[in-house]
Amino acid sequence: MKRAALGCAALWLALAGCRTAPESFSLPANPARAEQVLAEAQSRAGAVSALRGRARIGLSGERGESFFDLLVLVARPARLRVEAIGPLGGRALALATDGAHYDLYRAGRRGLARGEFHEDLLRDLGLPLAPEQAVGLLLAAPLLPGAERLRGARSGPRGALELRFADFAARFDRRGRLRLLCWAAPGEPGRCGGNAHLQVHYDDWRGTAGGAAFPHRLELRIPQSGARARLTLRQVELAPEFSPGVFRLSARRKGVSSGREAEK
């Protein structure tokens, strides 16, 4: 149980970061292209509103490397359900929130922690983002501000483009696919680089069952702590129909519901 609890802590510490990209983004972007890429990203964020997925996550840090199987359900604006299954098949962690209330199960602790959802819940679990930001991250479609909020746009190798805002930046490839999100440390300008507070890389963009493309590999890192997670999606369903109550956990005598309702 103690090992499982440590795994839970590592999971939430690692759910936030990525590798620093070496490319130089020093050339000002063409304003028309910057506005076009921003408009396309905003359109995609409006179209991608929910996801159901199964994934394998590898965590690396001071305690070595560990792996979990994940069930992930996400829906805008701030609904989330994540279940982590340990190597022996037992649940290490389960978190569900409908945006108003949350239920949290952690191996080694009796019952569920429950309460009103608050802005600091994910930060307390090691993911230093607001709920809406976390949902946008997992959907690979963050809600970006309007063009009037752009602080800068830079071009890079092979047609890449980086859009910079007050406290974060988003990098796209020549096809307009999201490749990197970077959140700045407090007081720092939004840009991707070694000083980023949080980085998320997206790779292996390919079609899903519904035909729409989605990145099947995410790598996350908090550079200051060295926490890292590599998420490989095995199943992806966009815009699924969720059953009522799926973003809450049902208490059972021996812990928490099986999660089968989340698969429907």
Side-chain angles (χ1 to χ4, degrees):
M1 287 294 186
K2 184 176 180 181
R3 181 175 296 177
L6 290 173
C8 295
L11 173 68
W12 285 101
L13 280 172
L15 274 177
C18 189
R19 161 179 85 240
T20 300
E23 296 93 350
S24 173
F25 276 68
S26 58
L27 299 176
N30 179 294
R33 179 167 184 254
E35 291 186 10
Q36 178 186 358
V37 170
L38 176 57
E40 291 173 351
Q42 291 172 324
S43 177
R44 184 175 187 276
V48 181
S49 60
L51 173 148
R52 178 191 285 114
R54 288 192 172 277
R56 181 73 165 168
I57 188 169
L59 311 176
S60 57
E62 294 181 357
R63 298 183 181 275
E65 195 167 23
S66 56
F67 297 89
F68 295 87
D69 289 320
L70 293 184
L71 172 66
V72 181
L73 281 66
V74 183
R76 296 195 198 272
R79 292 182 291 166
L80 177 67
R81 178 167 179 157
V82 177
E83 297 188 26
I85 311 301
L88 300 180
R91 238 170 217 83
L93 177 145
L95 169 69
T97 175
D98 58 8
H101 299 85
Y102 77 91
D103 306 309
L104 175 64
Y105 168 80
R106 288 191 263 199
R109 302 188 183 186
R110 295 186 62 184
L112 300 176
R114 286 178 157 165
E116 292 186 4
F117 193 81
H118 53 87
E119 291 293 313
D120 292 329
L121 177 62
L122 295 181
R123 291 183 176 90
D124 292 344
L125 291 170
L127 182 57
L129 293 175
E132 294 82 0
Q133 292 174 320
V135 167
L137 181 162
L138 291 169
L139 290 174
L143 296 175
L144 300 180
E148 71 281 0
R149 301 278 297 278
L150 267 175
R151 295 292 183 87
R154 297 285 173 177
S155 296
R158 299 179 294 279
L161 177 73
E162 183 173 297
L163 302 179
R164 298 175 178 177
F165 301 91
D167 58 354
F168 79 101
R171 187 174 292 181
F172 302 85
D173 65 17
R174 61 183 178 82
R175 298 181 182 179
R177 297 175 300 192
L178 181 65
R179 289 295 187 178
L180 179 62
L181 281 177
C182 303
W183 279 270
E188 296 287 341
R191 59 181 297 274
C192 292
N195 67 335
H197 179 59
L198 168 65
Q199 300 177 344
V200 186
H201 285 249
Y202 300 90
D203 200 3
D204 192 17
W205 278 82
R206 50 191 166 91
T208 62
F214 194 84
H216 283 60
R217 288 202 304 269
L218 286 71
E219 186 180 358
L220 309 99
R221 179 189 292 172
I222 302 177
Q224 292 88 337
S225 67
R228 179 185 296 185
R230 295 173 303 281
L231 188 69
T232 302
L233 286 158
R234 295 172 171 173
Q235 299 176 15
V236 180
E237 180 184 358
L238 298 179
E241 293 289 335
F242 291 125
S243 59
V246 73
F247 291 103
R248 300 300 305 273
L249 299 179
S250 300
R252 297 284 178 86
R253 186 174 180 180
K254 293 186 178 181
V256 67
S257 58
S258 67
R260 290 180 182 175
E261 69 274 16
E263 301 174 5
K264 299 178 181 178

